[in-house]
Amino acid sequence: MIKLASETIDKKDTKQLINWLKTNPKLTQGDLTIKFEKKFAKWIGSKYAVFCNSGSSANLLMLSALLEKNIIKEKSSIVVPSICWSTDIAPILQLNLNPILCDVDIKNLSIDIKELEKIYKAKKPKLLFLVSLLGFSSNIDEILKLSKKYNVKIIEDNCESIGSKYNGKKLGNFGIMSSFSTYFGHHMSTIEGGIITTNDKEIFSILKMLRSHGWDRDLENKEKNILRKKWKIDKFNSLYTFYISGYNLRSTNLQAFLGINQLKKLKYYIKIRNRNFKFYQKKLNNKYWKIKPIAESFVSNFGYPVISPHRKKIINILKKNKVEVRPLISGSMGNQPFFLKKVGKKIFKNSSIIDKYGFYLPNHHKINKKNINFICSIINKIINN
């Protein structure tokens, strides 16, 4: 079986974890979590990082932080690519914000720049939720220029693209905040987990309070004292004082222990994913469509995308040959039941093609050229006959 994704936590990681557990360490969120956050922030190139329980929770926390800081308000319009993940849209609806879907560029699966400007002009949104699918970058310079022109703020979902770059700079460094996922099968794994990075100190503090009930326990002493003085809270009562409407989306020291070790191998995993992507590009002879990454980008590929009118036949034969495949992310969000119930059906030219004909193929550190040759030979035989 050639699996779509593979666990990055290996026997060595497990052995180290067992040995650490034998020391009877603190397992809940603590100093090890902070250590992992600092290491990840340094690796990605940001000042701060907040570790939470999933990439989906990271998205919820980012939007909640923007509401708390009044960068957006209730009913504010948020632009999201129509090809994305459910929890890019769900927290927008849950927080009583207004999602505006934008079609994607069929060439590279990034948000369509021309359609984006039309939305900016007509809808005057407050925020762009920029999603980098499968490791592919958007034309960041054009998006930054456009967003500055129309006074639109940017946050990033980089859950599928850890290590991808635009003009030599890692994705996740172009907006107010960025989310990452450390779930099973992603570029690195902490079993479950999500990370938010930012350069904004105030947002960093808000995120930490939002993550843990709304209390001040994770803040620096100076910040704690300012809050307690403002609200006339003594040290004893501060234990159960909640300054903002928070959640409980904490991670654990156990996950952080895994994350610290995973960071040591991340460069290696990314190198293999990029190598495999290039080999797929070389071997797959799909005349109907082939991804064309932005020229200035480096692709830390999550899965190799295919769009073909022969999708059904290809999928059936790949399954018979024990090759795991999935739809191209979720297809168009405008067709998803949860979106239909809340907003109504939205049809997009390019996203409809992806919805109907798109799927993606395995790519991870356990896939090799022999596997890719095998997969491509099956697909090539179908599409070229």
Side-chain angles (χ1 to χ4, degrees), residues 79-122:
V79 183
V80 192
S82 52
I83 305 291
C84 62
W85 191 245
S86 64
T87 48
D88 293 312
I89 304 289
I92 295 173
L93 296 171
Q94 291 157 354
L95 293 170
N96 204 22
L97 300 164
N98 176 38
I100 301 175
L101 297 182
C102 179
D103 205 359
V104 297
D105 188 326
I106 198 71
K107 297 190 299 296
N108 51 46
L109 303 180
S110 66
I111 198 162
D112 188 302
I113 303 292
K114 290 181 180 179
E115 292 300 315
L116 183 63
E117 182 162 23
K118 289 178 184 178
I119 291 171
Y120 278 5
K121 284 181 178 179

Side-chain angles (χ1 to χ4, degrees), residues 13-47:
D13 294 317
T14 305
K15 186 177 180 180
Q16 289 175 330
L17 179 62
I18 290 168
N19 289 335
W20 176 70
L21 288 169
K22 287 178 180 178
T23 67
N24 195 30
K26 179 180 179 179
L27 297 178
T28 55
Q29 181 180 290
D31 290 345
L32 209 58
T33 302
I34 295 170
K35 182 179 179 181
F36 174 53
E37 289 171 337
K38 288 180 178 179
K39 283 183 175 292
F40 188 86
K42 183 178 180 180
W43 187 88
I44 205 69
S46 67
K47 291 182 180 178

Side-chain angles (χ1 to χ4, degrees), residues 26-84:
K26 179 180 179 179
L27 297 178
T28 55
Q29 181 180 290
D31 290 345
L32 209 58
T33 302
I34 295 170
K35 182 179 179 181
F36 174 53
E37 289 171 337
K38 288 180 178 179
K39 283 183 175 292
F40 188 86
K42 183 178 180 180
W43 187 88
I44 205 69
S46 67
K47 291 182 180 178
Y48 312 108
V50 175
F51 190 31
C52 62
N53 63 359
S54 72
S56 295
S57 294
N59 290 342
L60 174 63
L61 285 168
M62 287 197 298
L63 290 165
S64 298
L66 293 178
L67 282 165
E68 189 66 34
K69 200 177 175 184
N70 290 317
I71 292 174
I72 57 174
K73 297 181 180 180
E74 192 173 298
K75 301 291 185 181
S76 287
S77 292
I78 317 294
V79 183
V80 192
S82 52
I83 305 291
C84 62

